[in-house]
């Protein structure tokens, strides 16, 4: 490491500590030429996760896009912001645990649909109509029939503000 004061490349590490999130290491260094001390931070260089779209193009994975899609599907529905945030977090956790560099958009879309089906059937149909590119009423009817044949397992209602729910849901992504 080059000293910012004397520009020499001759130092020693005096102290190293992990940050509170354990993804950054703080190091105190002393320049052996001018004896001044500096602090450096080392961070793991991550390769950002990318989404491979239907047409083969790639885009950065953006959690915000998932949340916006959920919000649109659940507009004017009795689904709390906390629930949408929880679903978004589950999807993000699932994808980042199982994919290193690239995830197919189909995987993300199917995860969203699976979770929406449990949260609100109307929101599920709304999202499906855009995601599956419904062309006519028959497409809606087939999804409605699917819901009738195999009703979704209801998610537990979110606890009142300040409640101590641990967030475990046996039918959720984390259990798959």
């Amino acid at each position: 490491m080059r000293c910012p004061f004397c520009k020499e490349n001759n130092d020693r590490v005096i102290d190293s500590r992990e940050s509170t999130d354990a993804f950054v290491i703080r190091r105190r260094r002393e320049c052996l030429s001018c004896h001044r001390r500096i602090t450096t931070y080392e961070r793991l260089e991550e390769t950002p996760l990318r989404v491979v779209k239907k047409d083969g193009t790639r885009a950065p994975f953006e959690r915000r896009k998932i949340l916006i899609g959920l919000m649109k599907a659940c507009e004017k529905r009795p689904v709390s912001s906390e629930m949408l945030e929880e679903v978004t977090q589950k999807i993000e956790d699932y994808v980042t645990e199982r994919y290193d560099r690239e995830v197919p958009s189909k995987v993300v879309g199917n995860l969203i649909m699976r979770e929406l089906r449990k949260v609100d059937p109307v929101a599920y149909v709304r999202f499906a109509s855009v995601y599956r590119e419904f062309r006519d009423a028959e497409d809606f009817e087939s999804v409605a029939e699917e819901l009738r044949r195999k009703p979704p397992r209801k998610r537990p209602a979110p606890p009142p503000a300040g409640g101590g729910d641990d967030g475990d849901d046996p039918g959720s992504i984390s259990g798959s």
Side-chain angles (χ1 to χ4, degrees):
M1 175 121 255
R2 189 171 298 280
C3 174
F5 305 107
C6 71
K7 310 297 185 230
E8 291 293 322
N9 189 10
N10 189 14
D11 66 39
R12 71 182 176 106
V13 175
I14 299 168
D15 181 42
S16 292
R17 294 185 186 172
E18 280 186 2
S19 67
T20 54
D21 66 3
F23 289 107
V24 177
I25 297 176
R26 176 186 177 271
R27 297 198 195 278
R28 285 293 288 159
R29 298 174 182 270
E30 179 181 22
C31 175
L32 298 175
S33 298
C34 69
H35 303 291
R36 293 183 78 175
R37 292 184 178 189
I38 60 172
T39 302
T40 60
Y41 295 90
E42 294 179 20
R43 177 180 310 276
L44 178 66
E45 188 173 337
E46 295 180 21
T47 305
L49 184 63
R50 298 174 63 82
V51 176
V52 181
K53 298 184 177 189
K54 287 184 218 175
D55 65 1
T57 59
R58 285 154 173 75
F61 176 85
E62 293 184 48
R63 170 185 212 287
R64 181 181 57 84
K65 286 183 178 180
I66 294 171
L67 185 58
I68 288 170
L70 290 169
M71 289 169 64
K72 285 180 182 177
C74 294
E75 194 170 311
K76 297 184 181 179
R77 298 295 304 154
V79 180
S80 70
S81 297
E82 291 80 18
M83 180 61 72
L84 297 179
E85 190 63 47
E86 178 186 319
V87 168
T88 302
Q89 189 61 51
K90 281 183 179 182
I91 293 167
E92 181 181 31
D93 290 347
Y94 182 90
V95 168
T96 56
E97 284 175 17
R98 286 167 179 79
Y99 296 88
D100 291 332
R101 292 193 171 97
E102 294 183 339
V103 59
S105 61
K106 186 174 186 171
V107 169
V108 177
N110 288 336
L111 289 170
I112 292 170
M113 287 191 35
R114 182 167 58 184
E115 289 299 305
L116 262 180
R117 193 168 195 266
K118 294 179 227 172
V119 172
D120 187 274
V122 173
Y124 167 75
V125 173
R126 284 179 179 171
F127 187 85
S129 71
V130 174
Y131 179 66
R132 292 182 180 169
E133 299 173 348
F134 287 4
R135 304 235 186 274
D136 53 35
E138 289 174 7
D139 293 335
F140 282 96
E141 288 171 2
S142 67
V143 171
E145 182 57 35
E146 173 191 327
L147 284 170
R148 278 187 219 107
R149 277 194 327 267
K150 195 173 163 188
R153 285 189 291 179
K154 283 289 186 185
R155 295 178 68 98
D165 184 22
D166 64 2
D168 284 341
D169 179 12
S172 68
I173 290 172
S174 60
S176 298

